[in-house]
Amino acid sequence: MNPYENAETMSRGLSINMPGLMKDVYAWMAIALLITGFTAYHVSESPFLLSLLFTSKLSMWGLIIATVALVWHLSSAVSRMSLRAVTTVFLVYSILNGLTLASVFIVYTTTSIASVFFVTAGTFAVMSVYGTMTKADLSRMGNLCLMGLFGLILATIVNFFFENSFFELLISYAGILIFTGLTAYDTQQIRRIAETHDTGATDAGQKIAIMGALSLYLDFINLFLYLLRIAGDRR
């Protein structure tokens, strides 16, 4: 999924300012990651919030549905929303993701979370630089990764009922490959938008930056989670 595609249609004709847009994309992504990490850690330290969120299947599923609904709404309605509304939804989504990811601090040791985070950051940085610098067209690879993503979702749903540990391991490795490829592909897509659009003092440009940040944020979070399943040390 490329949630910034709808934003691209809003601002045809804006002037070229690739460094400015890319800088804004990474800035918004960093803000979202900080909010998610801060929320997840502090929720994991609160027995009351943990019991509220994770003792009831209803509350957990409600949280998952809310995060999916927010991404869908933001991706489909960004062109009709104000910059303030887009920013608010993006930040709220970061908080909700932090609530769901609080369980990570319960299941895995803090040391392994930190080490996997740095591995994820390094992998993400390499693939993002590659997506920015390469002259090769990554569209075919991106389409394959997107098709693989649908298969990954289906396999995850099936394994939810069968709970096969070997199958889960295969899913994790597939997830790492898919989101590593998507990082490069999404970065190249954002770069192409950046070559023809300017974020300077325009609401439309900032919306593009936020949607690009959302795309890379999702790549980073998913890559981190799949790496953690393989390399993380459980408590």
Side-chain angles (χ1 to χ4, degrees), residues 4-186:
Y4 44 80
E5 284 181 354
N6 287 337
E8 179 183 4
T9 63
M10 298 184 300
S11 48
R12 304 280 185 186
L14 291 173
S15 61
I16 297 174
N17 184 23
M18 177 179 168
L21 179 55
M22 295 302 289
K23 181 181 69 175
D24 289 345
V25 166
Y26 289 118
W28 280 114
M29 176 191 164
I31 290 171
L33 288 174
L34 284 172
I35 291 174
T36 297
F38 180 85
T39 302
Y41 177 76
H42 283 279
V43 169
S44 71
E45 293 292 302
S46 170
F48 171 73
L49 291 176
L50 287 175
S51 63
L52 185 66
L53 292 172
F54 299 111
T55 56
S56 169
K57 288 186 177 180
L58 183 63
S59 60
M60 191 61 196
W61 277 107
L63 191 58
I64 294 172
I65 292 171
T67 56
V68 173
L70 273 181
V71 170
W72 179 84
H73 175 68
L74 191 57
S75 301
S76 61
V78 61
S79 60
R80 302 188 300 273
M81 297 168 66
S82 67
L83 176 58
R84 178 176 293 181
V86 170
T87 304
T88 300
V89 172
F90 178 66
L91 296 179
V92 169
Y93 175 72
S94 303
I95 294 171
L96 290 179
N97 248 358
L99 296 178
T100 59
L101 292 178
S103 59
V104 166
F105 287 93
I106 302 172
V107 176
Y108 298 95
T109 65
T110 304
T111 302
S112 67
I113 291 173
S115 61
V116 171
F117 178 85
F118 284 115
V119 171
T120 304
T123 305
F124 179 90
V126 169
M127 297 310 297
S128 194
V129 169
Y130 174 73
T132 301
M133 304 300 295
T134 183
K135 296 185 182 299
D137 186 358
L138 302 180
S139 297
R140 184 174 181 181
M141 183 189 73
N143 290 332
L144 288 174
C145 287
L146 289 171
M147 287 189 292
L149 179 58
F150 288 113
L152 188 69
I153 294 171
L154 180 60
T156 302
I157 294 173
V158 170
N159 199 51
F160 177 79
F161 296 100
F162 291 96
E163 296 184 348
N164 185 292
S165 57
F166 178 72
F167 194 41
E168 182 178 353
L169 186 64
L170 290 179
I171 290 173
S172 297
Y173 279 111
I176 292 170
L177 290 175
I178 288 169
F179 284 102
T180 298
L182 283 176
T183 297
Y185 169 71
D186 287 337

